[in-house]
């Protein structure tokens, strides 16, 4: 283990051997669309950190080098031994289904999905084979960011129903042997939360330290140069706040100006959060999806962000909070104080951290999170969500393979392609949608036959595609609307609307079309899930690629307890020659029907010849 401090004179080899360094360099390469072999090149590895500005042709500067060295020194942890057998746990064997309550099912015809609506569809979810339901926020909220701005953690939004409705849902799920996890949004609260209101009202308020608040006049400008994920400065001025100097307060918000970041340096704030979590566990909740949980620890003093990183990543300041100095410490405390002794599932939403940081966040012996959502597979290298392009699935195979092979047996992976923050994957792969159902099935088979816990997003199992937005008033999401306002003067209406059609979060937020027709995509998902439930090789078996990840036809094997399964995917829209497969296999599922050549977008599951039980 290397103990010497990192400096600009450190070798790139040592930086790459450091988990955090490895992730940062990989991320920069992905962002720049550079090939991965660059860092594997031994000549490159022997160069010094300070050579990066030259190597990247000025894309990163000397300040980046200094920041990176400091960052590495701040994070000395290394992943532990990962060679044992993966421990068998319910949440590893589960298939999770994400519900966006507002648009899932409306029971009373007011146009807004609600809890009784969800309750009425549990049989339908159980038939699909879902084990766990994750609800996006259902708490009381003014709705500036559709519920991710919480006004009261311990009550339910009126439009969705009551606390009793939520209890009934928990109960009904448990009766079916299913579980419920809630969205836990504890990086920020609404500005209408009583903690924030009291912090504004009273200079001596104990709640003032719950947030990142700085005294100063509006004219002084924001305390630092950080930008919000939803556009503009990450600071809002509150002239109405009572202060000694009478100039008001500046408050930090990484998301909308009504989502105020909580200050995790405050132990009183943390204690209140843990108490709230225990209150939910006492009501029978089985776990949490922790919203932007990697961003809770901010660099003390909140220093300015690097303009280089800001330009490269699109947001200024991220290096001071996406993997903050006390992140691991806070997560350990959260687990210990809020849910030790309860058999919960804790999945962190972690935009930013790569593979090695994710190992540190999820290795079971570290007692932090159980699994995390990483987003690096959602866009092709060098692309961002609002770009209009055709997503190449060979990249997905490369990216997922890297994670399958690199995570180790002491950590666990989440497997997802869609959520309420992203467009529909079928539309990204083939915007014309001529093979919509085939692609939806291919994506489903891929996602459901890797090692990890699959998270399906509502409508994915129906093969839903993007909506076509023809005017701005069809777009509701705050991020999209701000994006449009930002783009309009630069590129004009047509192109700004085009960007929303490519990347708007609203694609995942349109109402589900409920009809009783048999859906062939859903039927295929149901069969794969049933097989996965029956054959634990598909859950725990090591992942072994049989073709090069990145080739047109991707073949991989999952094997455990003497039972081997092989998945064959044609990642292109053209028929391909059939790959040679190992012996002793029979075709169990095929989409579309198997032919002598592999059809375009073919997805096939091959199982043991002796397999007797059929998936129906
Ligand atoms: O999202 C966090 C996040 O970083 C994104 O996926 C986000 O939508 C995008 O990057 C913004 O540019 C979580 C929630 O899933 C999202 O719906 C919330 O808006 C956000 O946190 C704030 O709570
Ligand atoms: Ca309703």
């Amino acid at each position: 283990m290397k103990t010497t401090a990192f400096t600009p004179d450190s070798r790139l080899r040592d930086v790459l051997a450091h988990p955090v360094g490895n992730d940062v360099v990989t991320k920069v390469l992905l962002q720049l669309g550079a090939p991965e072999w660059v860092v594997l090149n031994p000549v490159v590895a022997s160069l010094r950190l300070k050579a990066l500005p030259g190597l990247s042709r000025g894309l990163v500067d000397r300040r980046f080098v200094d920041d990176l060295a400091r960052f590495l020194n701040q994070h000395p942890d290394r992943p532990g031994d990962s060679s044992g057998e993966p421990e068998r746990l319910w949440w590893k064997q589960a298939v999770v289904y994400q519900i966006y309550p507002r648009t899932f099912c409306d029971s009373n015809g007011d146009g807004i999905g609600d809890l009784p609506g969800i309750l009425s569809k549990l049989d339908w979810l159980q038939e699909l084979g879902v084990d766990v339901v994750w609800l996006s926020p259902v708490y009381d909220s003014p709705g500036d960011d559709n519920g991710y701005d919480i006004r009261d953690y311990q009550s339910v939004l009126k439009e969705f129903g009551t606390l009793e409705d939520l209890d009934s849902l928990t109960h009904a799920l448990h009766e079916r042997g299913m579980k419920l996890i809630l969205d836990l949004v504890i990086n920020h609260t609404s500005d209408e939360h009583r903690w924030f209101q009291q912090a504004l009202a009273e200079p001596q308020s104990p709640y003032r330290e719950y947030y990142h608040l700085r005294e100063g006049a509006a004219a002084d400008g924001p305390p630092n140069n950080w930008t919000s994920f939803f556009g503009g400065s990450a600071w809002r001025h509150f002239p109405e706040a009572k202060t000694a100097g009478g100039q008001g307060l500046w408050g930090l918000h990484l998301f909308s100006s009504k989502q105020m970041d909580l200050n995790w340096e405050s132990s009183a704030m943390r204690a209140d959060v843990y108490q709230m979590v225990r209150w939910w566990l006492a009501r029978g909740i089985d776990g949490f999806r922790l919203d932007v949980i990697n961003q809770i620890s901010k660099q003390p003093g909140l220093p300015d962000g690097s303009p280089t990183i800001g330009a490269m990543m699109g947001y200024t300041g991220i290096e001071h909070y996406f993997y903050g100095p006390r992140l691991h410490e806070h997560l350990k405390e959260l687990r210990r104080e809020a849910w030790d002794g309860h058999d919960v599932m804790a999945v962190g939403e972690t935009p930013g951290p790569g593979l090695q940081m994710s190992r540190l966040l999820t290795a079971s012996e570290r007692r932090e999170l159980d699994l995390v959502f990483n987003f690096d597979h959602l866009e092709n290298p060098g692309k961002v969500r609002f770009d209009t392009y055709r997503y190449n699935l060979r990249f997905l195979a490369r990216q997922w393979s890297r994670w399958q092979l690199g995570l180790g047996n002491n950590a666990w992976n989440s497997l997802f392609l869609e959520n309420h923050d992203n467009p529909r994957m079928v539309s990204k792969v083939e915007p014309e949608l001529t093979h919509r159902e085939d692609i939806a099935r291919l994506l489903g088979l891929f996602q459901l036959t890797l090692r990890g816990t699959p998270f399906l997003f509502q409508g994915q199992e129906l093969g839903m595609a993007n909506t076509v937005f023809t005017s701005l008033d069809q777009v509701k999401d705050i991020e999209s609307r701000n994006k449009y306002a930002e783009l309009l003067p630069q590129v004009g209406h047509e192109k700004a609307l085009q960007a929303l059609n490519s990347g708007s979060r609203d694609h995942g937020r349109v109402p589900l079309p409920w009809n009783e027709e048999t859906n062939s995509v859903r039927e295929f998902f149901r069969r794969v899930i049933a097989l996965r439930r029956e054959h634990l090789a598909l859950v725990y078996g090591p992942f072994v690629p049989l073709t090069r990840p990145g080739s047109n036809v991707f073949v991989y094997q999952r094997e455990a307890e003497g039972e081997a399964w092989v998945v064959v995917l044609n990642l292109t829209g053209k028929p391909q020659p059939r790959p040679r497969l190992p012996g002793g296999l029979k075709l169990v599922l095929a989409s579309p029907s198997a032919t002598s050549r592999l059809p375009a977008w073919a997805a096939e599951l091959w199982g043991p010849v002796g397999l007797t039980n059929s998936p129906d």
Side-chain angles (χ1 to χ4, degrees):
M1 187 177 286
K2 192 140 177 82
T3 47
T4 45
F6 283 92
T7 68
D9 282 315
S10 300
R11 303 270 178 198
L12 271 176
R13 178 185 299 116
D14 295 322
V15 173
L16 290 168
H18 187 292
V20 169
N22 197 291
D23 276 5
V24 171
V25 175
T26 310
K27 181 90 186 175
V28 169
L29 286 175
L30 262 184
Q31 202 71 20
L32 301 177
E36 216 163 317
W37 58 259
V38 173
V39 290
L40 302 174
N41 182 325
V43 179
V44 174
S46 66
L47 296 174
R48 294 182 197 280
L49 197 47
K50 64 185 180 198
L52 276 183
L55 265 184
S56 70
R57 296 199 196 93
L59 280 167
V60 304
D61 56 7
R62 174 60 190 235
R63 174 161 168 190
F64 176 89
V65 169
D66 294 335
D67 281 344
L68 181 55
R70 184 167 30 75
F71 196 54
L72 296 180
N73 294 328
Q74 223 168 40
H75 292 282
D77 291 13
R78 303 284 170 132
D81 177 28
S82 60
S83 58
E85 279 292 303
E87 197 186 341
R88 300 196 166 195
L89 295 164
W90 65 265
W91 50 262
K92 295 185 179 174
Q93 283 162 227
V95 171
V96 185
Y97 187 95
Q98 181 193 353
I99 288 181
Y100 197 66
R102 184 165 290 274
T103 50
F104 182 69
C105 179
D106 173 21
S107 72
N108 60 356
D110 65 357
I112 301 168
D114 46 52
L115 292 169
I118 298 172
L119 192 63
S120 73
K121 296 297 178 189
L122 294 191
D123 289 342
W124 192 83
L125 290 175
Q126 194 172 22
E127 275 161 37
L128 180 61
V130 169
D131 304 277
V132 176
V133 169
W134 149 31
L135 294 186
S136 272
V138 292
Y139 315 94
D140 175 48
S141 158
D144 196 49
D145 185 20
N146 269 358
Y148 283 90
D149 48 323
I150 297 173
R151 182 163 46 201
D152 180 356
Y153 285 106
Q154 285 164 250
S155 69
V156 167
L157 184 70
K158 276 204 195 64
E159 296 161 333
F160 290 169
T162 62
L163 201 51
E164 287 65 44
D165 290 331
L166 189 55
D167 287 342
S168 309
L169 180 63
T170 313
H171 185 73
L173 282 164
H174 288 170
E175 271 187 334
R176 288 169 165 79
M178 295 159 77
K179 294 187 190 271
L180 180 66
I181 68 176
L182 293 185
D183 221 303
L184 191 61
V185 188
I186 51 180
N187 175 69
H188 44 264
T189 71
S190 165
D191 61 342
E192 297 183 28
H193 192 285
R194 89 186 150 80
W195 296 342
F196 193 77
Q197 287 300 311
Q198 292 184 21
L200 286 190
E202 176 52 55
Q204 303 310 320
S205 167
Y207 295 110
R208 207 157 261 201
E209 68 164 46
Y210 278 35
Y211 297 88
H212 296 281
L213 292 168
R214 298 281 182 278
E215 284 191 32
D220 300 341
N224 70 24
N225 68 354
W226 296 7
T227 55
S228 151
F229 290 107
F230 295 159
S233 166
W235 293 89
R236 169 175 162 197
H237 192 253
F238 293 89
E240 70 272 33
K242 297 271 179 310
T243 55
Q247 299 182 311
L249 289 172
W250 286 92
L252 177 71
H253 63 90
L254 295 182
F255 292 89
S256 95
S257 60
K258 283 177 69 63
Q259 290 170 297
M260 308 313 300
D261 277 62
L262 286 165
N263 174 18
W264 278 71
E265 298 295 317
S266 163
S267 55
M269 187 285 291
R270 299 201 304 271
D272 268 352
V273 165
Y274 305 152
Q275 201 189 336
M276 175 273 288
V277 174
R278 288 195 299 266
W279 183 85
W280 278 109
L281 290 175
R283 294 194 94 87
I285 300 304
D286 302 293
F288 301 98
R289 174 266 192 191
L290 296 107
D291 191 61
V292 288
I293 197 67
N294 60 303
Q295 305 185 358
I296 57 177
S297 165
K298 276 87 174 170
Q299 181 74 37
L302 314 182
D304 270 345
S306 140
T308 309
I309 298 176
M312 187 164 43
M313 309 304 296
Y315 309 103
T316 304
I318 51 169
E319 69 276 23
H320 295 308
Y321 60 75
F322 90 101
Y323 194 74
R326 295 181 70 190
L327 176 59
H328 294 295
E329 180 193 334
H330 291 327
L331 290 175
K332 286 187 166 71
E333 186 185 83
L334 171 63
R335 184 179 189 122
R336 201 172 57 235
E337 300 296 323
W339 58 74
D340 252 8
H342 293 265
D343 188 14
V344 309
M345 164 185 208
V347 50
E349 190 225 13
T350 55
L355 174 57
Q356 301 304 327
M357 297 185 202
S358 299
R359 293 176 69 195
L360 291 169
L361 292 168
T362 58
S364 56
E365 75 279 3
R366 292 173 55 88
R367 307 197 58 70
E368 296 180 21
L369 297 167
D370 294 322
L371 60 179
V372 293
F373 291 116
N374 168 271
F375 295 87
D376 291 345
H377 61 291
L378 290 187
E379 307 300 335
N380 279 172
K383 300 292 183 195
V384 296
R385 176 154 46 89
F386 289 103
D387 289 345
T388 301
Y389 73 100
R390 193 176 288 267
Y391 183 99
N392 187 332
L393 281 177
R394 288 173 306 192
F395 169 73
L396 183 64
R398 286 212 307 277
Q399 190 65 13
W400 266 352
S401 296
R402 206 168 79 78
W403 278 67
Q404 292 283 303
L405 298 169
L407 199 64
N409 287 347
N410 57 341
W412 197 250
N413 207 0
S414 72
L415 305 162
F416 76 101
L417 289 165
E418 292 180 7
N419 63 22
H420 64 292
D421 293 333
N422 281 283
R424 297 290 184 177
M425 203 63 185
V426 287
S427 295
K428 291 179 74 142
V429 174
E430 194 203 37
E432 314 73 29
L433 301 174
T434 38
H435 299 82
R436 180 179 57 83
E437 295 195 346
D438 293 338
I439 295 171
R441 282 186 291 258
L442 177 149
L443 292 169
L445 185 68
F446 201 177
Q447 179 184 1
L448 291 161
T449 57
L450 292 175
R451 190 196 252 196
T453 302
F455 287 73
L456 300 176
F457 179 59
Q458 66 181 42
Q460 190 189 337
E461 81 283 16
L462 306 174
M464 277 180 80
N466 282 353
T467 308
V468 179
F469 301 114
T470 51
S471 80
L472 185 63
D473 44 80
Q474 296 158 356
V475 179
K476 309 261 176 317
D477 174 40
I478 181 166
E479 184 204 40
S480 297
R481 298 191 66 94
N482 290 357
K483 189 82 195 171
Y484 178 89
E486 177 193 316
L487 290 175
L488 187 61
Q490 300 164 18
V491 299
H493 170 76
E494 287 302 319
K495 287 205 167 121
L497 194 62
Q498 174 62 50
L500 302 193
N501 271 306
S502 297
S504 174
R505 308 197 297 181
D506 276 340
H507 288 304
R509 302 176 180 196
V510 298
L512 276 203
W514 286 104
N515 60 38
E516 303 304 317
E517 276 166 49
T518 330
N519 181 302
S520 76
V521 176
R522 181 174 186 269
E523 179 55 16
F524 185 83
F525 274 59
R526 191 186 67 73
R527 288 175 173 219
V528 181
I529 294 171
L531 285 164
R532 195 181 177 275
R533 187 189 288 275
E534 199 68 38
H535 301 276
L536 289 183
L538 290 170
V539 175
Y540 294 110
F543 164 89
V544 182
L546 301 182
T547 58
R548 194 173 45 79
S551 41
N552 289 338
V553 176
F554 187 43
V555 184
Y556 56 92
Q557 178 173 297
R558 307 288 314 283
E559 181 173 6
E561 287 152 4
E563 202 183 273
W565 294 80
V566 167
V567 176
V568 178
L569 305 173
N570 180 357
L571 302 178
T572 73
K574 295 201 178 77
Q576 300 287 345
R578 284 199 163 271
R580 200 202 301 269
L581 300 184
L585 295 170
K586 74 166 187 187
L587 186 59
V588 178
L589 282 178
S591 159
S593 307
T595 51
S596 61
R597 278 163 72 82
L598 263 188
W601 310 116
E604 296 181 352
L605 178 63
W606 294 71
V609 167
L611 191 73
T612 46
N613 45 349
S614 89
D616 318 79

